[in-house]
Amino acid sequence: MAITLTEAAARHVTRYLSRRGQGLGVRLGVKTSGCSGLAYKLEYVDEIAPEDLVFENHGVKVIIDPKSLAYIDGTELDFVREGLNEGFRFNNPNERDRCGCGESFRV
């Protein structure tokens, strides 16, 4: 079981946490949403709960709640720039389908 970050994603998170002035890492999880059923949620973390799972890549902690891990195990989090757009991309091997707008996915 593992969640990984690319170097680009780790650089982006590190820069953001530095500007923010606090934070232990980034929390990756899923929530019920959208037309395909699940959506990724990503937030910066100031506290780690005892039940959280912590993965570290390129010096950045990725915190996962145990319920989300079944849906995102093996996911690689990347940060991409395409033209004027930039954002995180989730490369999830468990993903079987994604809605047309890209907001939600199904496993």
Side-chain angles (χ1 to χ4, degrees):
M1 295 192 293
I3 305 296
T4 58
L5 285 170
T6 64
E7 286 185 42
R11 277 193 309 271
H12 181 77
V13 170
T14 301
R15 274 195 308 267
Y16 185 83
L17 289 174
S18 176
R19 278 185 272 171
R20 191 171 175 251
Q22 65 179 6
L24 302 174
V26 65
R27 179 180 303 278
L28 175 59
V30 296
K31 62 183 177 180
T32 303
S33 178
C35 46
S36 289
L38 296 170
Y40 297 105
K41 63 180 182 177
L42 191 64
E43 60 190 8
Y44 293 95
V45 175
D46 294 326
E47 292 182 24
I48 298 174
E51 68 273 7
D52 285 337
L53 303 164
V54 180
F55 301 92
E56 189 165 340
N57 287 260
H58 306 289
V60 173
K61 287 183 174 78
V62 181
I63 296 96
I64 311 292
D65 68 275
K67 292 179 185 175
S68 293
L69 187 61
Y71 302 105
I72 58 176
D73 186 27
T75 296
E76 177 190 65
L77 183 60
D78 194 8
F79 188 80
V80 295
R81 288 191 171 102
E82 295 172 345
L84 297 176
N85 298 318
E86 65 180 20
F88 287 101
R89 179 176 293 156
F90 305 92
N91 300 313
N92 183 349
N94 304 304
E95 201 174 287
R96 298 293 170 241
D97 192 23
R98 183 176 281 248
C99 73
C101 66
E103 286 295 314
S104 61
F105 69 99
R106 179 180 11 252
V107 292

